[in-house]
Amino acid sequence: MHEEEFKVTGEEVIAKVKELIKAGNARKIIIRNEEGKDIIEVPLTLGAVGVLIAPALAAVGAVAALLTKCTIVVIKDV
């Protein structure tokens, strides 16, 4: 497994998460606050695109509204 981190503002979270999901090689997305504490973890599977991702994006949007700066951690298959 390979891990990448992206520093984003609360406003950029949804767009970045959608971009990472479209790329298709992410296994899990973790959003951390400024202190490094995990706020939300979204496991992704190959078949989970579409209907199953919509509730996860809604949750990410709710969390993003509360954050000013955060880190998105993407765990990928290598």
Side-chain angles (χ1 to χ4, degrees), residues 13-26:
V13 171
I14 292 290
K16 187 64 176 177
V17 169
K18 284 182 179 181
E19 177 186 322
L20 293 166
I21 290 171
K22 276 187 183 180
N25 56 353

Side-chain angles (χ1 to χ4, degrees), residues 4-43:
E4 286 184 56
E5 291 189 7
F6 302 92
K7 304 272 187 202
V8 295
T9 65
E11 297 170 353
E12 300 168 329
V13 171
I14 292 290
K16 187 64 176 177
V17 169
K18 284 182 179 181
E19 177 186 322
L20 293 166
I21 290 171
K22 276 187 183 180
N25 56 353
R27 299 291 272 159
K28 185 189 300 185
I29 295 174
I30 303 166
I31 298 176
R32 294 186 177 142
N33 65 11
E34 290 180 79
E35 292 82 36
K37 182 179 177 192
D38 291 0
I39 302 298
I40 188 168
E41 235 179 86
V42 181

